[in-house]
Amino acid sequence: YALYVLPPGFVESSCRSRIFWMKLNKLLLQGKFFQLEINDPYAGPLLLDEKLASRCGYVLSEDAWGNPVFRASALGCHVTNEADELFSLTVNIKVSSFSSMRAAVTYTYPMYCSYSSWASREIVCEENYMEVSVKTNVPAVSNDYTVAWMSALPETQNVAYQLWQLMFVSPSGRKRITVSDAAKLGYSFNNTLSRVYLRAPYHSNESDFSVVSGVNMNMVTSTSMYRQRWLLLLIDTTVSCPVDGISFTDTTLTWTVPSIIPTLVVQESTFLSKNILMGVDGRAVVNPEEKNYLLEHNKTHIEITIPIGAEGGKLKSSISGGVYGVVYSIDLFLEHTWTDADWQTTKYTVVKSITTPFMPQIPTVINNTLPEERLFNVAFGHFLPDVSLVAIAIGNVPFTLREAQHHGFKIYETPFSNGMKEFILEVSFDDLYVLKEYVNRNETKYTLLVNYTISVGPEMTLYYHSAEVECVVADIELPEAVGYCDEENLYLAIPLFGLHQYWNLYLGDKLLNRHIALLNGYLAATNSTHLILQIPLFAVGVIYEEVSFQKIKARFDVALRKVRTMETLQMFSVSCSFNSPAFIICHPDGTIMISAQMKTVPAIDMSKTKLRDSSCKPREYNEGHAFFKFHVTTCGTSVRFEGDHIIYENEISYEKETLPGQSIPTITRDPDYRLTVLCYYRAKETLVLGAFASDPSTSPPFGSGTMVPRPNIAVQRRIRQALNVVSRVSKDESFMEFYEPNMAILKRPAEPAFLEVELKDESPDIELYLENCWVTRSLDFNSTPRWNITVDG
């Protein structure tokens, strides 16, 4: 071998009791492969494998931190022994960059230990073997002639001269074999200057199981026999070791070892515990309570309780079934010294590496956002140091950490005193990838969708965790409209901020867009900050609150509604009073109000103007104006249909004063004056009683009106369209004989009446719909009481 000088810090070794401890630094082995060879003083180096290790008293494992650990018994096969006091062992450490171990570098490492305080019997329970060593000067056979000892006596007559043999007692019977044959079965037996030892593998064919104080024990019951001339030596080399005794809670692990093991203490009444010592990672712990360890013992048990995560052990992150969690590992040993009548002193040592089951720990996302800073501050944790954040996705857009920092996200780690850490992510509310939603009246809900990618453990397993963080901030100012008027129009100035993004304007239940504005005759203009609506006094949508002689109080309402939910946030209104010499207003309830301006030559007496029904006179008047107010069902108002509109028509006329003369024609100085009044209602709208509803946004629409003056030249007089409708009452169901018009008809209760309504016009564009029919006591169809026959057709 080419020998090399050990790198500093690569190997650490110590002696604990009668065990060699050697630890390799895993950091110096990263990306490399290694093997151990045991240097036999006579045969040279031997490659350490599992079979050699368990038979010769060697252990190769890892500590809780992943560092390779090698342990060897002072009575190991290749240990040089000087008078049972000085022990030495040389190990070759081979390191290569290849799994085939070619081009390996070999480091030779000798170890020396001294140990002279041997007990009469010493037992070591290692991870892969059980070992018992006994002083050869102890009494060969118990004076009590116990059954266990006496059972071996018949076999002693066959012991070969000057040859050790082993007698195993198991449930399958007794087996007597030579030492060389025992070696083939995995056992190791030998004697030193003053001791005899037997090393046995766990779960051999010669072993047996028993339960002692609830702990499963693996034991090998054996007697070592030696005969030389007249000397017959029988030595009890029985060994028993625990194979479980580990229990876990969410916060602790407990290791239980029996205090008294019956196969090792025949006379329990003489048992006396002398000392109990625990150790961690090969080092004795004199005051366990200082490290929050709990060492308890009674007549039946010795218990060591370790808090999960305690000093001396190692928490390690892990992924199982796509779930993040941790495992905790700790390397313990227990040394129990006792005396009893058969053995002066027994030192019982158990070495145990314990790892908890996988413990899921779902990471938590904590929203530490301060809304006034308009910055998401999200903590993601808690994690062990072996976890690193490698990438994030914001709003499903992936970023490496470098890209995230370049974009403007701030990512950093916050360590804790217990060794844990968390990852902090800071993202501005105004970032492109933050979702924004307008909620409630004046708030924005900011939503951060984040997906974390972390690397877990030395295996660098990737783990993904998604989170959704929300913050609602009252950062939207609802607009306030300004209203004003001129002589003919109403105006609303509405801020443009948020319009169409957060909210829209509605006229009743209709979205007030550019098309509707133009259709209704509004003028819409914008500047850098506001939308200005100009609404003519007599445009669609104007509400007339008060109407009197030459004066109108008008109001225009628009509703501010949320884009998504249609919830009404604000009502914008402008209300003004106007002086108008001439107007016609068609109320939703069918009331018509007219301020008529009549300019004739010569002037006429406005008090003598009338509607078709001469009893319908002006409510107010002056020299040039008359004000009428009536319902569409009164004053001789006629009705007709044109397209999708219902048109109500009446006429303002003047009663001429005549001068008496000798003969016809009558002479008058008054001009002939007629003013036709028209109100248009959409056929699908319903006329309601009461002009105003409590909610202006749901008020029915006003009709549109027009006044058409009639010229006093007869040849130019427009022919009025009047419906020729005739109604009659038949005497029976044959409809062949009818009552005379305006004739009183007497009918008894429940007696049928046969009514006929006929449209005489032959125009194909006209259809007859019978809407309402009722009976009154007089010729005035508006008189009360009335009895309905047909309502709404």
Side-chain angles (χ1 to χ4, degrees):
Y1 290 105
L3 301 181
Y4 294 85
V5 178
L6 281 169
F10 181 38
V11 181
E12 173 189 342
S13 63
S14 63
C15 300
R16 171 64 209 163
S17 187
R18 57 185 186 86
I19 298 176
F20 293 94
W21 295 69
M22 183 182 77
K23 181 183 296 186
L24 305 182
N25 189 336
K26 69 172 184 179
L27 298 178
L28 298 178
L29 288 171
Q30 284 185 346
K32 296 184 179 181
F33 303 88
F34 82 96
Q35 288 179 345
L36 293 186
E37 292 178 336
I38 308 300
N39 227 336
D40 188 308
Y42 307 103
L46 300 173
L47 182 64
L48 180 64
D49 57 21
E50 291 184 6
K51 186 175 182 181
L52 178 68
S54 62
R55 185 174 63 83
C56 287
Y58 307 137
V59 175
L60 180 60
S61 63
E62 288 186 350
D63 67 6
W65 285 263
N67 297 301
V69 172
F70 171 74
R71 292 191 299 273
S73 168
L75 300 175
C77 298
H78 311 97
V79 175
T80 301
N81 182 343
E82 296 182 22
D84 286 341
E85 293 185 359
L86 297 176
F87 305 90
S88 62
L89 176 66
T90 300
V91 178
N92 291 332
I93 307 167
K94 299 179 67 176
V95 180
S96 173
S97 299
F98 306 97
S99 59
S100 63
M101 298 305 295
R102 64 185 175 88
V105 175
T106 302
Y107 304 101
T108 298
Y109 190 78
M111 292 182 286
Y112 304 94
C113 286
S114 62
Y115 183 67
S116 57
S117 56
W118 288 94
S120 301
R121 178 175 62 175
E122 294 204 0
I123 295 174
V124 174
C125 299
E126 258 288 6
E127 293 183 28
N128 60 342
Y129 68 85
M130 302 179 287
E131 182 182 88
V132 56
S133 71
V134 180
K135 281 186 177 182
T136 55
N137 61 353
V138 298
V141 178
S142 170
N143 293 328
D144 295 330
Y145 296 98
T146 59
V147 174
W149 280 97
M150 294 302 293
S151 63
L153 290 178
E155 301 290 340
T156 61
Q157 304 302 320
N158 300 321
V159 175
Y161 180 66
Q162 290 187 340
L163 184 67
W164 283 102
Q165 288 195 350
L166 300 176
M167 174 67 64
F168 295 103
V169 180
S170 65
S172 60
R174 299 175 187 171
K175 180 189 293 185
R176 179 170 56 85
I177 58 177
T178 64
V179 172
S180 58
D181 289 337
K184 296 176 183 178
L185 298 176
Y187 295 91
S188 181
F189 177 87
N190 210 335
N191 63 299
T192 66
L193 182 64
S194 60
R195 305 187 71 81
V196 170
Y197 65 85
L198 173 69
R199 195 160 36 246
Y202 286 94
H203 314 303
S204 66
N205 290 334
E206 295 74 33
S207 66
D208 190 16
F209 280 95
S210 64
V211 178
V212 180
S213 300
V215 178
N216 286 315
M217 307 291 291
N218 190 209
M219 62 181 179
V220 174
T221 304
S222 65
T223 302
S224 301
M225 299 176 292
Y226 181 78
R227 181 177 183 181
Q228 185 178 19
R229 296 177 181 273
W230 52 268
L231 174 65
L232 176 63
L233 184 63
L234 300 179
I235 299 177
D236 183 5
T237 48
T238 296
V239 63
S240 180
C241 289
V243 293
D244 56 16
I246 309 296
S247 61
F248 304 96
T249 69
D250 291 340
T251 56
T252 62
L253 63 86
T254 300
W255 179 28
T256 302
V257 176
S259 295
I260 303 176
I261 303 168
T263 54
L264 302 180
V265 181
V266 177
Q267 302 184 60
E268 291 188 21
S269 61
T270 65
F271 172 86
L272 181 61
S273 178
K274 288 293 188 179
N275 185 50
I276 298 175
L277 178 69
M278 69 168 287
V280 174
D281 197 27
R283 297 177 179 87
V285 178
V286 180
N287 298 309
E289 63 279 358
E290 293 181 358
K291 298 183 180 295
N292 291 322
Y293 305 153
L294 184 61
L295 175 60
E296 297 177 303
H297 61 92
N298 54 31
K299 292 182 179 180
T300 59
H301 293 89
I302 300 171
E303 282 190 353
I304 297 175
T305 301
I306 308 291
I308 292 176
E311 177 187 352
K314 178 70 163 46
L315 278 168
K316 175 188 172 185
S317 299
S318 182
I319 302 295
S320 178
V323 177
Y324 173 81
V326 298
V327 293
Y328 176 71
S329 301
I330 191 168
D331 298 315
L332 300 175
F333 74 81
L334 174 69
E335 191 175 276
H336 185 198
T337 303
W338 73 77
T339 61
D340 62 72
D342 294 310
W343 302 90
Q344 295 173 5
T345 306
T346 298
K347 183 181 285 186
Y348 188 81
T349 302
V350 187
V351 181
K352 194 76 171 177
S353 293
I354 301 173
T355 298
T356 65
F358 176 78
M359 297 177 287
Q361 290 191 355
I362 305 301
T364 58
V365 174
I366 302 174
N367 185 3
N368 296 322
T369 299
L370 295 176
E372 59 271 16
E373 296 181 6
R374 296 187 61 79
L375 191 72
F376 280 110
N377 183 295
V378 183
F380 179 46
H382 296 86
F383 294 107
L384 295 170
D386 60 358
V387 171
S388 58
L389 181 65
V390 296
I392 61 170
I394 303 295
N396 296 323
V397 179
F399 295 90
T400 65
L401 295 191
R402 182 184 296 272
E403 291 170 342
Q405 299 282 6
H406 181 74
H407 178 79
F409 304 142
K410 190 175 181 182
I411 303 172
Y412 55 94
E413 292 184 6
T414 300
F416 296 100
S417 58
N418 62 358
M420 305 292 280
K421 65 180 179 181
E422 65 183 5
F423 302 107
I424 307 297
L425 171 65
E426 292 184 357
V427 179
S428 169
F429 284 179
D430 302 312
D431 189 87
L432 173 67
Y433 299 109
V434 172
L435 302 180
K436 304 165 185 69
E437 180 185 359
Y438 171 53
V439 296
N440 304 323
R441 286 182 58 84
N442 64 334
E443 296 174 326
T444 304
K445 181 170 74 173
Y446 298 93
T447 303
L448 180 67
L449 301 177
V450 56
N451 193 310
Y452 297 92
T453 302
I454 60 175
S455 174
V456 178
E459 303 84 3
M460 299 176 64
T461 307
L462 294 182
Y463 172 77
Y464 306 94
H465 186 86
S466 298
E468 180 175 324
V469 182
E470 294 180 353
C471 188
V472 178
V473 183
D475 56 359
I476 294 180
E477 184 177 350
L478 289 179
E480 294 292 339
V482 177
Y484 54 94
C485 301
D486 60 17
E487 293 180 356
E488 298 178 347
N489 303 280
L490 302 94
Y491 296 87
L492 271 175
I494 303 168
L496 288 173
F497 169 76
L499 199 59
H500 309 310
Q501 179 185 2
Y502 301 136
W503 43 67
N504 282 317
L505 297 176
Y506 277 79
L507 182 63
D509 289 330
K510 292 181 179 178
L511 176 66
L512 183 55
N513 52 29
R514 190 168 295 275
H515 173 72
I516 295 295
L518 291 173
L519 190 66
N520 290 352
Y522 310 153
L523 181 62
T526 58
N527 58 25
S528 60
T529 59
H530 285 76
L531 166 69
I532 295 97
L533 281 177
Q534 175 185 306
I535 306 101
L537 173 60
F538 296 108
V540 175
V542 177
I543 299 169
Y544 305 100
E545 297 178 298
E546 296 179 17
V547 180
S548 60
F549 186 44
Q550 299 186 44
K551 185 176 181 181
I552 301 174
K553 185 178 180 183
R555 188 181 83 239
F556 182 74
D557 298 329
V558 289
L560 188 73
R561 292 186 178 180
K562 293 173 68 172
V563 169
R564 292 184 59 185
T565 65
M566 298 286 290
E567 175 191 350
T568 299
L569 301 170
Q570 299 266 61
M571 289 298 299
F572 297 144
S573 290
V574 54
S575 179
C576 296
S577 294
F578 296 85
N579 293 316
S580 181
F583 59 81
I584 175 170
I585 295 176
C586 306
H587 264 284
D589 68 347
T591 299
I592 300 176
M593 289 175 285
I594 306 165
S595 179
Q597 185 178 23
M598 301 181 184
K599 295 180 180 180
T600 61
V601 178
I604 60 176
D605 184 356
M606 301 305 292
S607 66
K608 295 182 180 179
T609 56
K610 64 178 181 63
L611 298 177
R612 283 178 181 166
D613 186 338
S614 59
S615 64
C616 295
K617 299 288 186 177
R619 298 283 185 98
E620 297 179 68
Y621 58 89
N622 61 17
E623 292 180 356
H625 293 82
F627 177 69
F628 292 88
K629 181 178 180 181
F630 60 96
H631 196 269
V632 294
T633 58
T634 62
C635 297
T637 306
S638 63
V639 61
R640 70 177 185 270
F641 292 86
E642 283 189 8
D644 60 350
H645 281 80
I646 302 175
I647 303 174
Y648 293 93
E649 180 180 320
N650 211 315
E651 191 175 72
I652 301 174
S653 60
Y654 173 67
E655 292 183 351
K656 299 178 182 178
E657 290 186 356
T658 60
L659 298 176
Q662 299 299 322
S663 62
I664 300 174
T666 301
I667 300 173
T668 176
R669 62 184 296 275
D670 291 334
D672 183 15
Y673 184 87
R674 287 186 179 184
L675 183 67
T676 299
V677 178
L678 301 172
C679 270
Y680 297 81
Y681 292 94
R682 292 187 65 84
K684 293 183 180 180
E685 304 289 357
T686 304
L687 299 184
V688 296
L689 294 178
F692 309 105
S694 59
D695 182 1
S697 66
T698 61
S699 296
F702 282 73
S704 59
T706 182
M707 293 182 285
V708 183
R710 298 293 179 86
N712 56 6
I713 301 174
V715 294
Q716 296 181 356
R717 183 173 297 169
R718 183 172 65 88
I719 299 174
R720 293 185 301 159
Q721 181 180 1
L723 298 181
N724 188 2
V725 179
V726 176
S727 63
R728 297 183 294 178
V729 180
S730 176
K731 292 183 178 180
D732 56 32
E733 59 187 1
S734 68
F735 288 93
M736 299 296 293
E737 190 175 355
F738 297 89
Y739 290 104
E740 292 295 326
N742 301 326
M743 174 182 176
I745 303 171
L746 180 64
K747 290 285 184 179
R748 287 187 292 271
E751 184 179 354
F754 302 96
L755 307 177
E756 179 185 85
V757 181
E758 182 181 3
L759 177 65
K760 294 293 187 179
D761 297 72
E762 298 180 357
S763 171
D765 297 329
I766 299 176
E767 294 181 350
L768 174 64
Y769 293 94
L770 180 61
E771 184 176 22
N772 296 310
C773 183
W774 66 93
V775 177
T776 62
R777 285 179 175 176
S778 68
L779 294 178
D780 182 3
F781 62 81
N782 284 318
S783 64
T784 55
R786 58 186 276 177
W787 292 269
N788 291 323
I789 297 176
T790 302
V791 179
D792 292 335

